[in-house]
């Protein structure tokens, strides 16, 4: 596993050198801090747990931001090396192709994890200094950070797959943007249109649950909106009879599946790729 660790370390060092880690951490930290300041303002009148409010708000914005960052970080991981001519040099060393894919994935996922933990954690610490936070709210916030790392890793895997399937960076960038649009915006829009047109005749509650699991952004959203009682209350999910149909464990399993499946497809595709 030494080649995998070496390649992953090189990706992290490249992220530090290119300011990816710093920029992503500052962006996520500023976003979280702004929501902390806004989310804690109304707690005196409505009695809401400020951290649970922040979890709901931050999860909603993370769905749009973190997948885009992950795709921008990973879309040229292989095709960029190929265009620069360094991929042939890398493969001339005693390293298997799967080790190249896994090493790059782990390094880029680590950048997402570092930025998420530091950026979101710093904002939560700032809130804890001035406000008393319940243990349940801390558990929900930890779950939000962990699921955010999984969401970012899923889109890193999707970006890596896109980078392997094409031969030009511009094409990979187009695929990455298309993937972001599809999973974050178009999928739910199309699903809503189908539900309105179907009127519950074919798309039952069970079918809808399955369809939601086919989108990592939906699995992430549902997990953070229903994982704790406070989050379900403030997100408006507590009053829905079917809100708890998909368990937190199943939703996390779906997110993990979205990490593993694109990564396996990327490994298989890279084995057959002509360099």
């Amino acid at each position: 596993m030494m080649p995998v660790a070496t390649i992953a370390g090189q990706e992290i060092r490249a992220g530090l050198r290119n300011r990816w880690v710093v920029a992503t951490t500052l962006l996520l930290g500023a976003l979280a801090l702004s929501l902390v300041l806004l989310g804690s303002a109304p707690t005196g009148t409505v009695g809401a747990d400020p951290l649970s409010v922040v979890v709901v708000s931050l999860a909603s914005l993370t769905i749009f931001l973190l997948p885009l960052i992950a795709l921008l970080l990973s879309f040229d991981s292989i095709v960029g090396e190929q265009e620069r001519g360094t991929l042939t040099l890398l493969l001339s060393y005693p390293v298997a192709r799967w080790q190249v894919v896994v090493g790059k994935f782990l390094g880029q996922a680590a950048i997402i994890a570092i930025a998420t933990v530091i950026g979101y954690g710093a904002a939560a610490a700032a809130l804890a200094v001035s406000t008393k936070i319940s243990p349940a709210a801390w558990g929900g916030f930890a779950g939000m950070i962990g699921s955010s790392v999984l969401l970012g890793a899923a889109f890193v895997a999707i970006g890596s797959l896109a980078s392997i399937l094409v031969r030009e960076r511009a094409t990979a960038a187009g695929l990455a943007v298309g993937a972001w649009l599809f999973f974050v915006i178009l999928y739910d829009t199309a699903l809503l249109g189908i539900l309105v047109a179907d009127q519950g005749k074919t798309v039952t509650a069970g079918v809808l649950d399955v369809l939601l699991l086919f989108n990592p952004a939906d699995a992430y959203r549902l997990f953070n909106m229903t994982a704790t009682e406070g989050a379900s209350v403030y997100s408006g999910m507590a009053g829905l009879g079917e809100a708890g149909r998909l368990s937190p464990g199943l939703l996390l399993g779906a997110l993990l599946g979205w990490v593993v499946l694109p990564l396996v497809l990327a490994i298989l595709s890279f084995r057959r790729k002509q360099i």
Side-chain angles (χ1 to χ4, degrees):
M1 295 298 290
M2 280 301 297
V4 173
T6 301
I7 294 172
Q10 178 60 33
E11 287 295 316
I12 295 173
R13 287 190 293 271
L16 290 170
R17 186 170 58 251
N18 297 332
R19 303 294 191 270
W20 263 109
V21 176
V22 175
T24 304
T25 302
L26 291 177
L27 179 61
L28 295 180
L31 173 65
L33 185 59
S34 64
L35 290 176
V36 162
L37 296 177
L38 293 173
S40 61
T43 58
T45 58
V46 300
D49 191 312
L51 194 57
S52 294
V53 175
V54 170
V55 167
V56 173
S57 302
L58 195 55
S60 299
L61 291 180
T62 298
I63 291 173
F64 293 92
L65 183 62
L66 204 59
L68 183 60
I69 294 174
L71 289 168
L72 290 176
L73 185 63
S74 61
F75 81 91
D76 67 340
S77 58
I78 298 297
V79 72
E81 296 266 13
Q82 185 176 1
E83 283 196 354
R84 291 190 294 270
T86 55
L87 183 59
T88 303
L89 177 62
L90 177 61
L91 294 177
S92 68
Y93 290 99
V95 56
R97 290 196 174 196
W98 72 266
Q99 292 175 324
V100 174
V101 176
V102 173
K104 285 182 171 292
F105 165 78
L106 290 178
Q108 292 161 358
I111 292 174
I112 295 292
I114 292 169
T116 302
V117 172
I118 295 177
Y120 289 176
L127 180 62
V129 171
S130 58
T131 307
K132 184 178 180 180
I133 306 298
S134 66
W138 280 118
F141 189 79
M144 191 270 294
I145 289 181
S147 60
S148 296
V149 172
L150 276 178
L151 179 67
F155 278 91
V156 167
I158 292 172
S160 299
L161 177 60
S163 184
I164 291 170
L165 292 177
V166 300
R167 303 190 68 87
E168 295 181 359
R169 291 180 72 251
T171 308
L175 283 178
V177 173
W180 181 82
L181 287 172
F182 176 76
F183 286 112
V184 176
I185 298 176
L186 298 180
Y187 187 91
D188 286 344
T189 303
L191 188 57
L192 179 60
I194 292 173
L195 289 174
V196 172
D198 184 69
Q199 296 293 319
K201 297 176 182 178
T202 303
V203 183
T204 62
V207 174
L208 179 61
D209 289 341
V210 174
L211 291 175
L212 290 174
L213 294 178
F214 277 96
N215 187 347
D218 283 333
Y220 172 85
R221 180 188 291 110
L222 288 174
F223 173 79
N224 286 288
M225 297 303 180
T226 61
T228 65
E229 182 179 355
S232 62
V233 169
Y234 305 138
S235 64
M237 299 289 288
L240 300 179
E242 303 298 331
R245 180 185 293 273
L246 296 174
S247 67
L250 179 59
L251 293 169
L252 282 180
L255 273 176
L256 184 60
W258 273 103
V259 176
V260 174
L261 181 59
L263 185 60
V264 170
L265 292 176
I267 292 172
L268 295 177
S269 299
F270 194 47
R271 284 180 176 178
R272 297 191 296 266
K273 186 178 180 69
Q274 297 293 325
I275 306 301

